[in-house]
Amino acid sequence: MTASRLRAVRTSLVGGIAAGSLLLLAGPAFAHVSVQPGTAEKGGYSTINIKVPNEKDNASTVKLELSLDPKHPLVSVMPQAVPGWEVKVEKTKLDKPVQMHGKEINEAVSKVTWTGGKIEPGQFQQFPLSVGKLPTDADELVFKALQTYSDDDVVRWIDASTPGGHEAEHPAPVLKLVAKGSTGPAAPAGKTDGKTDGKDAKAEAAAEKTESTGSDTTARVLGVVGIVLGVAGAAFGVVVGRRRSAA
């Protein structure tokens, strides 16, 4: 094999491997809007975070609209202030009033909207909410989210996920509801030291695993594509090398 042929093959192999590596590294960037932690006790109150990653390289997230589950209205929804962001809480009248702390409640929060801030490329933001009382007759609460970017693109995180089936392209954030005593004390909103205990840690790990399932699948697919491109590049290099040798 001539020196020129060796250089052609080596260049093609390096290029193909580099392409595959970049695609593998790019896979985890495909994250979803999610609820953290992913579980809470039925019939109680909980502090949750709506985790919003920026999935674009050339635009910032500038707005988040979160619609609450109309089938299971929450009479108490209080957002925590997020620096740089303004929050608007909208309420809707209930078809059937509910009793809470001896008072009759005729309306519930239906939508929460955050505007005015920016989530830059490669970053994420958490939007804390205190919610309750959580329903006792449901196993989950679905929050539909609309994520607006600075280029006016709107990603609708509203798709329903099918248990045991393929993950939806844009799944709606879901809060799983479990029996009382099934989870540990919820971590305070905004806590970032990573310290959790017992069942609370398991619940958070389960939520992160669910969120990363689609990312892992995407990474594997893109990795295979990268390998195929590498092989094709190597074959092209061999052909070029042979032609040069023949010449």
Side-chain angles (χ1 to χ4, degrees):
M1 184 179 288
T2 65
S4 60
R5 184 176 175 183
L6 281 172
R7 284 195 298 271
V9 172
R10 185 164 54 248
T11 301
S12 298
L13 285 172
V14 171
I17 292 172
S21 300
L22 287 173
L23 287 170
L24 280 170
L25 291 173
F30 292 90
H32 302 323
V33 173
S34 61
V35 180
Q36 303 291 333
T39 59
E41 292 184 353
K42 296 180 179 181
Y45 292 82
S46 182
T47 298
I48 60 175
N49 289 286
I50 308 302
K51 183 179 178 181
V52 182
N54 192 326
E55 295 186 319
K56 289 197 170 189
D57 295 328
N58 57 355
S60 301
T61 295
V62 295
K63 182 179 181 181
L64 175 67
E65 298 173 76
L66 188 73
S67 295
L68 280 66
D69 193 340
K71 296 180 181 178
H72 304 284
L74 300 175
V75 295
S76 177
V77 177
M78 293 186 295
Q80 179 177 316
V82 179
W85 293 81
E86 298 178 0
V87 61
K88 178 182 178 182
V89 178
E90 299 179 39
K91 295 183 178 182
T92 302
K93 284 193 174 183
L94 298 174
D95 294 332
K96 182 180 179 180
V98 298
Q99 294 292 326
M100 182 177 179
H101 303 307
K103 295 182 180 180
E104 185 175 83
I105 306 299
N106 297 304
E107 58 183 11
V109 174
S110 57
K111 181 187 289 188
V112 183
T113 304
W114 290 269
T115 56
K118 284 186 178 181
I119 307 175
E120 302 290 352
Q123 299 181 3
F124 74 91
Q125 178 66 57
Q126 296 192 96
F127 298 91
L129 289 173
S130 174
V131 296
K133 282 185 174 182
L134 297 175
T136 58
D137 59 347
D139 294 324
E140 65 180 24
L141 283 180
V142 178
F143 301 87
K144 295 184 177 182
L146 301 184
Q147 181 181 11
T148 302
Y149 285 90
S150 55
D151 60 0
D152 294 329
D153 185 22
V154 178
V155 180
R156 301 170 63 84
W157 300 96
I158 62 174
D159 298 340
S161 297
T162 304
H166 293 291
E167 185 181 31
E169 183 177 1
H170 297 103
V174 175
L175 176 65
K176 298 292 184 180
L177 301 178
V178 298
K180 189 175 182 179
S182 297
T183 63
K191 184 176 180 180
T192 57
D193 58 9
K195 296 180 181 179
T196 53
D197 298 317
K199 295 176 181 178
D200 190 41
K202 292 181 181 179
E204 185 172 350
E208 292 291 346
K209 183 178 180 180
T210 299
E211 180 181 348
S212 64
T213 299
S215 300
D216 292 341
T217 301
T218 304
R220 286 194 293 270
V221 173
L222 292 177
V224 171
V225 173
I227 293 172
V228 172
L229 290 175
V231 173
F236 178 75
V238 171
V239 173
V240 172
R242 288 178 177 176
R243 290 181 177 177
R244 289 180 178 175
S245 297

